Amino acid sequence: MGQPAERESGERAAGGAARFELPPGQRLQRGWPVTHYGPVPKFRPDRWEFRVFGATADGEKRGWNHEEFTALPYVTVVADLHCVTKFSMVGAEWGGVPARTVLDIAPPAPDVTHVMVWAEYGFSSNLRLADFASGRTLFATHKDGELLTAEHGFPLRLIVPHLYAWKGPKWVRGIEYMTADRRGFWEERGYHNIGDPWKEQRYSYQEEPGDGPEL
Ligand SMILES: Nc1nc2c(c(=O)[nH]1)N[C@H]1C(S)=C(S)[C@@H](COP(=O)(O)O)O[C@H]1N2
Ligand SMILES: [Mo]
């Protein structure tokens, strides 16, 4: 059985006891490694914009500059980060703007089923609308009360606590509402279209019919 989307972090799931639970095949990492493909982009506040496009409810594109986006209501979510290469980082307190806030202020058309999250240099990851709309999915600006560092995604990264960490792009620049599924960067390159770590959905060859578009 899958875990519900609103599942708490491993620590909380253990019932508040001083232990935590990791998804199958994962091991605990001390510290916080940096993992990504390509260079770390430079943040240019004057050019930065968060865009919502694709199948919006009113057919219009929306955009917020950095000041506007970071003025949206700030919440915190305690969540673990599970890299498909098998390390996990547990118990981080992420701070930022809930994905649900973006859905509220720039709603998708009724026939939207998936969201493509776009980042600098064309990096992308696709999510089912329900995964994006989880109450714990967050556009994070902070970790443990401090601004993200450049290599960890400053000024904005997505955190999807219930999926593998590649589903959370660093250096996010916007989202595209989609009426059919399409693979993102890693999903086109051998990684699972859904990426639930509790089901150990690591690679695309594990996909079952209905898990994703043809490769
Ligand atoms: N833009 C971008 N975001 C990315 C990636 C990437 O290659 N590019 N890699 C992902 C992967 S595989 C992981 S494990 C996490 C790692 O985040 P960290 O470097 O902050 O630990 O970032 C994710 N976000
Ligand atoms: Mo990863």
Side-chain angles (χ1 to χ4, degrees):
M1 286 295 284
Q3 304 289 324
E6 308 238 357
R7 186 181 189 289
E8 288 279 342
S9 82
E11 255 175 312
R12 300 285 184 84
R19 63 198 185 82
F20 49 82
E21 187 192 338
L22 291 179
Q26 294 295 113
R27 55 179 157 21
L28 189 60
Q29 172 82 39
R30 286 186 194 282
W32 188 13
V34 171
T35 315
H36 59 263
Y37 176 81
V40 174
K42 192 175 187 138
F43 173 52
R44 292 200 171 80
D46 47 318
R47 290 202 212 151
W48 193 93
E49 199 188 20
F50 182 93
R51 285 163 43 85
V52 179
F53 59 102
T56 56
D58 61 6
E60 300 289 323
K61 299 183 172 82
R62 298 289 305 276
W64 291 265
N65 67 27
H66 186 248
E67 200 181 329
E68 291 163 344
F69 193 83
T70 53
L72 293 170
Y74 179 95
V75 308
T76 60
V77 170
V78 175
D80 307 336
L81 191 146
H82 307 298
C83 177
V84 70
T85 63
K86 302 197 168 176
F87 73 81
S88 291
M89 201 257 295
V90 300
E93 186 200 77
W94 305 95
V97 178
R100 277 190 188 166
T101 299
V102 174
L103 288 167
D104 285 345
I105 60 179
D111 54 343
V112 166
T113 55
H114 293 80
V115 177
M116 189 73 81
V117 183
W118 288 101
E120 302 283 358
Y121 301 136
F123 184 86
S124 61
S125 186
N126 57 316
L127 295 168
R128 296 176 294 194
L129 180 59
D131 291 321
F132 182 77
S134 156
R136 289 171 39 75
T137 299
L138 188 73
F139 288 100
T141 53
H142 290 71
K143 179 186 162 277
D144 297 324
E146 293 186 10
L147 276 178
L148 293 171
T149 57
E151 62 270 25
H152 287 301
F154 179 81
L156 195 67
R157 76 179 294 167
L158 189 70
I159 296 294
V160 190
H162 64 286
L163 299 179
Y164 282 118
W166 88 79
K167 289 287 188 182
K170 303 193 279 193
W171 315 295
V172 175
R173 288 293 300 275
I175 61 166
E176 176 186 355
Y177 290 136
M178 306 195 293
T179 55
D181 200 4
R182 225 167 66 219
R183 290 175 187 270
F185 183 88
W186 289 121
E187 294 82 3
E188 271 185 337
R189 290 169 175 77
Y191 290 92
H192 198 284
N193 192 56
I194 294 169
D196 181 341
W198 301 95
K199 294 182 184 166
E200 226 177 333
Q201 293 174 330
R202 297 179 190 274
Y203 308 110
S204 52
Y205 66 74
Q206 299 172 290
E207 287 174 19
E208 290 174 17
D211 282 348
E214 297 267 304
L215 266 166

